Amino acid sequence: MLIHCKHDINRLFFIFIGFWLTAFFLSCSGTGDKGPVKIGFSQAMTTDDWRKQMNKSMQLEASLHDDVALTVLDARDDVEKQISDIESLIRNGTDIIIVSPIQSRPLTAVVEKSVKAGIPVIVIDRKIGNESYTAYIGADNIEVGRNAGRYIASVVPHHEGKIRIVEIKGLKGSSPAYERSLGFSQIVNRFEKLEIVAAIDGDWESGSVKAPLRDVLKQEKKIDYIFCHNDRMALSAWEVARENGIENSIKFIGVDGLNTENGGIQLVQEGVLQATIFYPTGGNEAIKLALRILKKDPVPKNHLLNTTVIDAVNADIMKNQLDKIDRQQASIEHQLQKLSEQEEKYATQANLIKILTFFLVLILALAIYGIYSTYIISKKKKLLELQSQKITLQQDKIRKITGEEFRTRLDTIITQHIDNPGFTVEELAQKLNLSRVQLYRKIKAMSGASVNEYISGIRLEKSREMLRDTSLNIAEIAYACGFSSPNYFSTSFKNKYGITPKEYKSNT
Ligand code: FRU
């Protein structure tokens, strides 16, 4: 019963430890968490500062939310790669995808595929061929073009004769190139004085500008303005003009207005550019928008960011403002860095505490188990002691019984032969089915006497009885009790009882 109970307790103990270990390791591995929100961003390329800023502001915004995991894939200006990047984001269970498409048409199908698969898509800066995306975020590129147009048109009243313009466009097939050109021509067309004398299809990069512009300059001797779809290309155009010594007679207008080394603001401050149209990257806004969409908040389909003209009048103010923002960003980054260091420290400490708790509970459990086992063992020991006491008692009883039986048989046999002085130890042993040695040991253990002493004890006892109870004389009693002579009887009697048989008889 006790043993059964002990087995049950053992089993319970190990089940407890098993459960506890599983719970402990599950809590360590953090299973059961829903996991972070997965945002995938397919960036067109990351070679220029504008794209780098976009990525940075996205990453900064994402790191402000500890439940957001942002993956940025760089398509390296390769449309095929961008399609396969988006495919992989779809496959990898991304919650929402942000895409800045290299070109509109080739990216349309994969965006549609994602939306159909239930993964919302935000297109940023550049659009796709239709409106199947979930939301667009970026400045209004038609407005960017119009701003450039309006800026040139503002000089119309003071300008004599035609204002001759060269337009250097962004990559054909990318929506900002199309829209900037559209907005620009909408304004140009309103003024008779404004004339686009040449248009160059660039690809957003400075390398695409130089050769075609040199060709244009060979044809067009008088150019008043060059409108470039971004500042990088505008700087390149200015360099070509300088090669010809005409950089001061042409006014250059760009787009982007970055506050970086050789960025639009610096170029305006240095007088390289007449103006740049500020084109925000929208990186942080895109992450905020993504989180709103995932929260199922209603959002406008087209999320338009502000754009403005930066020229000599406001370049310093803009720079100050943007410097301030940069400093704030740097401080946020610094704080985030510190925070993540603290988090790491905390995580290590938390793990240490977990491990300590693990061992404490284990030690406690083992201690309880140890105490319990000691208790059970001592209980069992007591039980065994009791049982062994019982057994000893029973053995004693048995020994007593068998000892008494033996004494009765022994005494009976001796009494039967009491009158025979020749009755030997061998005969007695034989009658008791014992060897001489066995007989000797038994009698010694029982009475402390040797066999002969024991026999003579019985003889003397019998003689005393007869002296007391019969009228036989001393000699008769001596022979009846197996003494070889009355003298020997008297001596033996006196030795044992301290008086002679004669004296004993006369006293009774
Ligand atoms: C950066 C860039 C910007 C431009 C934008 C248009 O890669 O070329 O200079 O404004 O892309 O998508």
Side-chain angles (χ1 to χ4, degrees):
M1 182 54 183
L2 197 69
I3 295 196
H4 259 287
C5 169
K6 174 116 203 276
H7 278 161
D8 284 352
I9 298 281
N10 271 348
R11 204 170 304 139
L12 270 178
F13 176 75
F14 288 112
I15 288 173
F16 162 74
I17 291 287
F19 263 123
W20 186 75
L21 278 177
T22 322
F24 179 81
F25 285 115
L26 282 184
S27 86
C28 286
S29 66
T31 318
D33 265 16
K34 230 181 90 215
V37 170
K38 285 200 210 166
I39 302 181
F41 173 42
S42 163
Q43 175 61 289
M45 77 281 306
T46 328
T47 38
D48 61 87
D49 287 344
W50 191 84
R51 298 277 158 192
K52 283 178 189 151
Q53 269 202 5
M54 185 196 258
N55 288 5
K56 199 174 159 196
S57 60
M58 270 196 197
Q59 272 148 350
L60 190 68
E61 182 63 38
S63 56
L64 292 176
H65 308 263
D66 44 321
D67 56 343
V68 170
L70 174 67
T71 306
V72 180
L73 300 178
D74 179 1
R76 298 197 203 110
D77 216 4
D78 175 347
V79 169
E80 290 309 314
K81 180 168 187 318
Q82 187 159 40
I83 293 171
S84 78
D85 282 351
I86 298 170
E87 302 261 12
S88 83
L89 289 174
I90 297 173
R91 272 198 310 276
N92 295 341
T94 311
D95 295 306
I96 188 161
I97 296 175
I98 304 172
V99 185
S100 186
I102 300 166
Q103 285 177 311
S104 304
R105 288 253 205 94
L107 270 305
T108 311
V110 72
V111 169
E112 268 175 7
K113 182 178 168 185
S114 173
V115 174
K116 272 195 193 134
I119 305 167
V121 179
I122 297 174
V123 285
I124 181 165
D125 152 52
R126 300 183 189 177
K127 292 178 181 164
I128 54 165
N130 61 22
E131 295 229 323
S132 60
Y133 52 80
T134 313
Y136 165 78
I137 187 161
D140 179 347
N141 278 300
I142 300 178
E143 196 55 26
V144 169
R146 284 185 192 139
N147 272 341
R150 284 188 203 111
Y151 192 78
I152 300 173
S154 67
V155 301
V156 165
H158 326 287
H159 199 277
E160 270 185 25
K162 290 264 186 190
I163 298 173
R164 297 165 62 79
I165 305 163
V166 172
E167 183 184 1
I168 301 177
K169 302 178 185 177
L171 177 71
K172 223 184 177 139
S174 67
S175 64
Y178 171 75
E179 291 178 347
R180 286 173 195 180
S181 193
L182 178 69
F184 187 63
S185 57
Q186 282 173 355
I187 301 296
V188 168
N189 292 341
R190 280 196 218 152
F191 297 86
E192 232 181 88
K193 267 193 186 174
L194 300 185
E195 189 187 350
I196 298 173
V197 294
I200 293 170
D201 280 322
D203 67 358
W204 300 114
E205 302 312 320
S206 42
S208 64
V209 172
K210 291 196 168 162
L213 185 58
R214 282 183 196 122
D215 287 346
V216 168
L217 289 181
K218 275 180 209 150
Q219 319 276 318
E220 303 294 336
K221 292 295 164 225
K222 169 105 181 61
I223 293 166
D224 299 299
Y225 280 91
I226 295 182
F227 168 48
C228 291
H229 283 191
N230 69 12
D231 295 334
R232 295 199 300 288
M233 294 193 294
L235 177 60
S236 216
W238 179 85
E239 284 165 359
V240 173
R242 200 176 52 174
E243 286 169 12
N244 293 276
I246 52 170
E247 76 272 20
N248 292 328
S249 61
I250 302 174
K251 293 186 173 70
F252 297 86
I253 296 173
V255 177
D256 282 346
L258 283 178
N259 182 30
T260 55
E261 179 81 24
N262 273 339
I265 293 183
Q266 187 187 320
L267 295 177
V268 169
Q269 285 177 320
E270 287 171 355
V272 173
L273 298 185
Q274 182 76 13
T276 177
I277 316 298
F278 182 62
Y279 186 60
T281 67
N284 57 337
E285 288 91 344
I287 297 292
K288 283 184 192 153
L289 184 64
L291 295 175
R292 283 176 60 196
I293 291 173
L294 287 176
K295 268 207 290 177
K296 306 264 183 282
D297 281 358
V299 295
K301 178 118 186 167
N302 292 307
H303 201 91
L304 296 179
L305 304 172
N306 288 334
T307 169
T308 185
V309 176
I310 302 171
D311 65 2
V313 177
N314 64 352
D316 290 346
I317 299 172
M318 280 297 279
K319 185 171 167 42
N320 282 341
Q321 293 296 321
L322 292 171
D323 278 349
K324 213 172 168 183
I325 294 173
D326 286 348
R327 279 199 298 276
Q328 280 167 351
Q329 276 204 354
S331 137
I332 292 174
E333 271 172 308
H334 179 73
Q335 283 171 18
L336 281 173
Q337 170 70 26
K338 278 258 157 324
L339 212 71
S340 89
E341 279 168 21
Q342 294 294 329
E343 263 172 13
E344 244 171 61
K345 260 192 206 160
Y346 170 77
T348 346
Q349 282 169 358
N351 277 343
L352 214 69
I353 288 175
K354 270 186 191 162
I355 291 169
L356 280 179
T357 322
F358 168 77
F359 281 114
L360 265 178
V361 174
L362 198 67
I363 289 167
L364 203 74
L366 286 173
I368 293 172
Y369 183 66
I371 292 169
Y372 171 77
S373 297
T374 323
Y375 166 73
I376 290 290
I377 288 168
S378 81
K379 222 171 165 185
K380 254 170 94 181
K381 225 170 133 187
K382 265 188 203 146
L383 201 81
L384 284 176
E385 268 170 20
L386 261 172
Q387 278 174 347
S388 98
Q389 267 172 22
K390 256 190 201 168
I391 290 168
T392 326
L393 270 174
Q394 278 169 355
Q395 276 177 345
D396 278 357
K397 252 189 199 166
I398 290 166
R399 215 176 289 132
K400 237 187 200 162
I401 292 166
T402 49
E404 270 162 22
E405 254 177 31
F406 173 73
R407 180 178 226 130
T408 320
R409 270 179 67 212
L410 179 70
D411 290 1
T412 312
I413 294 168
I414 295 172
T415 315
Q416 279 167 0
H417 298 86
I418 202 149
D419 54 349
N420 178 6
F423 185 60
T424 62
V425 174
E426 276 83 13
E427 272 174 283
L428 180 60
Q430 218 175 15
K431 294 214 179 300
L432 285 164
N433 276 333
L434 294 171
S435 71
R436 267 191 68 164
V437 179
Q438 281 172 330
L439 179 65
Y440 175 82
R441 280 193 192 138
K442 278 192 123 184
I443 290 178
K444 189 86 186 165
M446 191 178 79
S447 63
S450 70
V451 184
N452 280 324
E453 279 165 357
Y454 190 82
I455 295 172
S456 104
I458 298 243
R459 287 185 199 284
L460 287 169
E461 204 44 44
K462 183 75 186 164
S463 67
R464 199 157 66 134
E465 216 180 280
M466 288 175 93
L467 286 170
R468 200 174 53 224
D469 301 337
T470 65
S471 52
L472 293 176
N473 64 33
I474 307 267
E476 283 166 339
I477 291 175
Y479 294 120
C481 292
F483 291 95
S484 47
S485 70
N487 262 351
Y488 174 53
F489 165 57
S490 294
T491 323
S492 304
F493 194 92
K494 179 139 194 216
N495 278 347
K496 180 142 192 199
Y497 301 116
I499 50 171
T500 60
K502 206 172 163 187
E503 284 162 352
Y504 183 79
K505 190 153 177 82
S506 60
N507 282 347
T508 53

